[in-house]
Amino acid sequence: MRIRCATLACLVLLVNCGGNPAPRAPVAEPQATAAAPEPQPPSPEREIGLVRVNVSSLNVRASASASAQVVGHVRRGERLTLLGESGDWLRVRLHDGASGWVASQLVVREGAAARPRRAGCPPDSDYSFLTAPKPSFSEGGAHGMVIIETSVDAQGVVTGTRVLSNDTHDDALAAMAEREMHNARFAPPIRNCNPRAFVFTYKRAF
């Protein structure tokens, strides 16, 4: 009888051990990754006024340098939105939405961009001739157009010339056009109370 009871107790113990499996280790749930922030569009540049083109044709450049790439052209009388300035250069927005840099001495500031003039300060003005170039004429010779780029200092004196084009293909005629410009004298443009150096384009027909 004791042997039967002991056997029965062992069977009960075995049944209980097999019915309760060891608990499993908890499985780590994947953490939700934060979504990358969407790129924000660049904030628009602040408009600080207007400028008016004061020369027949003005180059708009990619950066504030006379050697920078030309990205556009504007003409006399056009008004451009002023965005900023760096030295003698102004950053402007064109009518098509593009932006670039123009030489400050070739435009006139208007509206909020205009600076108050000091007492006795002359108003902004364009250049004018004091002594205009006097063309020399001859009956014979080649015909065509010579275009001379002329550098003028703040006193209105011609400091240098460069031949941009010569349809006559006659170097003597190009040299004649350069001499004519060296004999010219200017009243320089006034910007913000001060006379400014500038570049004048001389178109000479033969």
Side-chain angles (χ1 to χ4, degrees):
M1 185 67 180
R2 290 179 179 175
I3 295 174
R4 183 179 299 175
C5 289
T7 302
L8 183 59
C10 288
L11 289 175
V12 171
L13 181 61
L14 289 174
V15 170
N16 289 337
C17 292
N20 295 315
R24 296 181 181 179
V27 179
E29 296 183 358
Q31 299 293 325
T33 57
E38 295 183 1
Q40 298 296 320
S43 57
E45 294 179 276
R46 186 171 65 92
E47 300 177 3
I48 58 177
L50 296 173
V51 296
R52 175 171 50 83
V53 179
N54 209 26
V55 291
S56 58
S57 180
L58 177 60
N59 291 330
V60 181
R61 298 186 180 273
S63 60
S65 169
S67 60
Q69 178 186 1
V70 176
V71 296
H73 300 277
V74 287
R75 298 190 178 280
R76 185 189 300 275
E78 289 191 48
R79 285 176 168 79
L80 311 172
T81 301
L82 178 61
L83 302 174
E85 61 183 301
S86 177
D88 290 333
W89 293 85
L90 302 177
R91 183 167 175 79
V92 297
R93 181 184 297 129
L94 308 184
H95 299 302
D96 62 0
S99 59
W101 295 84
V102 297
S104 61
Q105 66 265 32
L106 302 180
V107 298
V108 176
R109 296 184 180 215
E110 297 183 343
R115 296 175 179 173
R117 293 198 297 272
R118 299 187 299 270
C121 173
D124 285 357
S125 64
D126 201 356
Y127 69 85
S128 61
F129 280 110
L130 298 178
T131 304
K134 297 178 180 178
S136 303
F137 294 98
S138 61
E139 295 294 334
H143 295 282
M145 178 76 72
V146 177
I147 301 179
I148 305 295
E149 182 182 79
T150 307
S151 299
V152 186
D153 67 14
Q155 285 71 48
V157 177
V158 174
T159 58
T161 57
R162 182 168 68 96
V163 178
L164 294 182
S165 65
N166 182 3
D167 292 344
T168 70
H169 305 292
D170 187 335
D171 292 340
L173 294 179
M176 180 186 297
E178 288 188 279
R179 285 195 301 272
E180 293 169 359
M181 281 311 306
H182 275 286
N183 291 328
R185 291 293 181 272
F186 293 83
I190 303 297
R191 298 291 182 272
N192 302 320
C193 303
N194 298 309
R196 297 295 184 94
F198 68 103
V199 174
F200 175 76
T201 302
Y202 181 46
K203 297 180 179 180
R204 174 69 156 89
F206 290 91

